[in-house]
Each structure stands twice: as structure tokens, then as C-alpha cells.
């Protein structure tokens, strides 16, 4: 099996990670493509209409046509099928009340269903296939993978270890994103196994030992040396998220941007407090106060949405998610093209 990636899609081997919640704007995807990398749109938890509008933007409706023609990827969250402990979530909801009222927000009623727009978003991608489709949080059905490939998309599954890689390879995907626990944002883990304990190159090596697919290394890449080490371990490309968060093209909110540049934040940590699913971000007061939050994605994501939004409106970083990987110090205010150039193979 060929473990390289098609250069006409992946360019210089730098992928701007899909980043839901705002950062992955069409402008960022276009700028990354223009600089020779692969940009992504983030379809997770987005209404199908909103995703369609972003696709139209990249197709050239409101950006330069030559830019719109660059390949790009679209990422989707696969809905959760795990059982949720409703009593634990309801008890957590009570603990969120004072947090919400302190920023003038309310905690909504729980929404127990996961993203019921997932089938509509898949249909959209099948009718206007992007160059690349990637999945995280779970695996799609094998016939979904086959349909997307027939439609012309290159299909990627994100995994966090060798066991998940074996499961994903059996679905017939074209490549894997191998995500290390140093990554900013949510962990892609879907088998509930302990997080990988070694370095990113060691993780790439471990996955390379069990599957014969092109691998894309992600998580904590902050320097050209980090990228080179991942490539030396066998990665065909690198996927970088946090390093793009302060670029002018990204849709990162101002509170998140300021926190990434602020000396007030000294470490990242993993938390379930915002969404009910483990994710890494700059450690703030909310994460410390609710360090023992239960599992419950995406119910908890919806419960905290109004208080997170109110925190951003108030200009406070204390009650909003500040997703960032361990290499957040490498996130600078600079054009996306410079970030692509730094990590190019
Ligand atoms: C703000 C933010 C949002 C993210 N959203 C997504 C997402 O929607 N889908 C996804 O597959 N990964 C998401 N991730 C994880 C990235 O795909 C990638 O694994 C991670 O950014 C790599 O680590 P780094 O941030 O240290 O470069 C997100 C990461 C960040 C920082």
C-alpha cells in the first residue's frame, strides 16, 4: 500500500486542522490553500445550511475564483452512541446554575439527542463532494465511507492509538489523522482506552506498526523540528490547529485570541467541564472549579453554551473554552501563509 498522500490534494503536507466553534473560517481555508497547504471547514455541530453557505464561499461565490478552486477538506463529528448517565448530567446542571447566573445567562433544559443533522450534512457532502472529508469522535459506517469515496472525496478518520487505527482501517478509509493527547481541542478517542503515554513520533510509529495507510500527525506541533520529527517517524503530513488560532484569517473570538497571548495563562489542561468530552485548553477558573465534570457529550456542550457565549460577550476568559494544545506558545499573530511555510515538509 502506498503510504504517501496525493500531492494535488495535500500540497506541501501542512493541513490546517478543522476547528469547530469559529476558528475554521472559509477565509482561513482559502489562505492555507493559497499558501500550498490544505485548509478545512469544520462541520461539527453546524447547521447544514451554515455548512452549505461556507462551501459556497469556498467555491468562489465571494472569494477570488482562483482561490476557491483550491482543494479543501470538510470535517464532521460522528454522533455519540455511548450511554449517558442522566442523573450525573442533571446533578452537573445544578452546579452550572451559579456559574451561568454570574454572567447573566441561564442553563437550558438538557437536549439528550446528539447531532440529528449529521445525515443531512452527509447528504450535502455527497451532492457537492469536497476534495477531502474527515471524521472525528467516532467512525462512520463502512458504506458511508464507500459512498463518499465513490462521490470523489478522499476520506480520513482521526484516531488516537493503534487499536482505533485498526478499527478505522477496516472501514476502508484512505488515510488516518493520528492525534496525540497534546492536541488542542477535543480528543478524537472513540474506544474509551487510556491516552497514549509516549511522544507524537512514538504514536505515529505505533500506528504505522498496525496499519498500512498514509498517516497525518497531529497534536502539540509548535516548531519545524516537531513537524520534522513526526515526518521522520513516518507521517506523510502534519495537521496543525493551535498555531493558526491567532492568524487574522481565523474566526477565533477576541477573548480566545487575547488569552492565547496573555501571560495570565501558564498551562493547558484537559477538561470535560465545557462539553462532557475530554478536550485540551488554556486552564481557566471554570476548568478548575468544575474539574470533576462527568461525561456527557454533547448534552453538556449545550448546557454550557449560553454561559460560554455570555463570558465572551463580557470580554472574560473565565467561563469560556480556550482550546489550545500544549504548544500554544507557538501561536503568533501572523498571516496563515507564514504558519503554513513554517511547517512545510
Ligand atoms: C479550537 C480547536 C477546535 C478544534 N475543533 C476540531 C474539530 O472541529 N474537528 C476535529 O477533527 N478536530 C478539532 N480540533 C483538533 C484538531 O483537529 C487537531 O487535532 C489539533 O488542533 C492538533 O493539535 P494542536 O492544536 O496542538 O496543533 C480542534 C482543535 C482546536 C485547537
Amino acid at each position: 500500500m502506498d503510504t504517501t498522500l496525493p500531492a494535488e490534494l495535500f500540497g506541501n503536507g501542512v493541513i490546517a486542522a478543522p476547528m469547530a466553534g469559529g476558528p475554521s473560517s472559509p477565509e482561513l481555508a482559502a489562505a492555507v490553500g493559497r499558501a500550498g497547504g490544505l485548509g478545512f471547514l469544520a462541520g461539527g455541530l453546524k447547521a447544514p445550511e451554515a455548512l452549505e453557505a461556507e462551501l459556497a464561499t469556498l467555491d468562489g461565490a465571494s472569494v477570488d475564483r482562483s482561490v476557491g478552486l483550491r482543494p479543501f477538506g470538510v470535517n464532521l463529528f460522528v454522533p455519540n452512541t455511548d450511554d449517558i448517565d442522566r442523573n450525573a448530567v442533571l446533578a452537573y446542571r445544578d452546579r452550572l446554575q451559579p456559574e451561568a447566573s454570574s454572567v447573566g445567562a441561564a442553563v437550558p433544559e438538557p437536549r439528550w439527542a446528539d447531532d440529528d443533522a449529521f445525515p443531512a450534512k452527509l447528504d450535502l457532502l455527497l451532492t457537492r463532494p469536497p476534495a477531502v472529508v474527515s471524521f472525528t469522535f467516532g467512525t462512520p459506517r463502512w458504506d458511508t465511507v464507500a459512498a463518499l469515496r465513490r462521490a470523489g472525496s478522499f476520506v480520513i478518520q482521526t484516531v488516537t492509538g493503534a487499536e482505533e487505527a485498526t478499527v478505522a482501517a477496516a472501514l476502508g478509509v484512505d488515510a488516518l489523522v493520528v492525534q496525540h493527547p497534546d492536541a488542542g481541542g477535543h480528543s478524537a478517542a472513540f474506544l474509551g482506552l487510556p491516552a497514549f503515554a509516549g511522544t507524537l513520533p512514538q504514536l505515529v510509529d505505533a500506528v504505522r506498526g498496525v496499519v498500512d495507510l498514509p498517516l497525518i500527525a497531529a497534536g502539540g506541533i509548535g516548531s519545524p523540528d516537531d513537524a520534522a520529527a513526526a515526518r521522520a517517524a513516518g507521517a506523510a503530513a502534519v495537521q496543525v490547529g493551535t498555531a493558526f488560532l491567532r492568524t487574522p484569517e481565523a474566526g477565533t473570538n477576541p477573548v480566545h485570541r487575547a488569552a492565547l497571548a496573555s501571560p495570565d495563562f501558564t498551562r493547558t489542561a484537559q477538561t470535560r467541564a465545557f462539553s462532557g468530552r475530554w478536550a485540551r485548553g488554556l486552564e481557566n477558573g471554570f476548568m478548575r472549579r468544575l474539574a470533576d465534570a462527568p461525561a456527557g457529550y454533547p448534552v453538556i456542550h449545550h448546557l454550557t453554551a449560553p454561559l460560554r457565549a455570555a463570558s465572551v460577550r463580557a470580554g472574560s476568559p473565565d467561563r469560556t473554552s480556550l482550546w489550545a494544545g500544549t504548544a500554544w506558545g507557538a501561536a503568533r499573530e501572523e498571516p496563515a501563509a507564514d504558519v503554513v511555510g513554517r511547517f512545510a515538509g
Side-chain angles (χ1 to χ4, degrees), residues 108-120:
E109 289 301 316
R111 273 168 57 183
W112 298 107
D114 202 335
D115 187 3
D116 45 19
F118 181 72

Side-chain angles (χ1 to χ4, degrees), residues 17-20 23 42-44 75 77 134-137 158 177 179 182-186 218-221 239-243 245 256 280 323-327:
M19 293 188 281
N75 173 257
F77 296 166
S134 76
F135 292 100
T136 189
F137 293 4
T158 307
V177 166
Q179 187 202 47
D182 283 350
H186 284 94
I221 295 176
Q239 178 164 295
V240 179
T242 303
L245 283 173
H256 194 177
R280 182 177 294 282
W323 301 141
T326 54

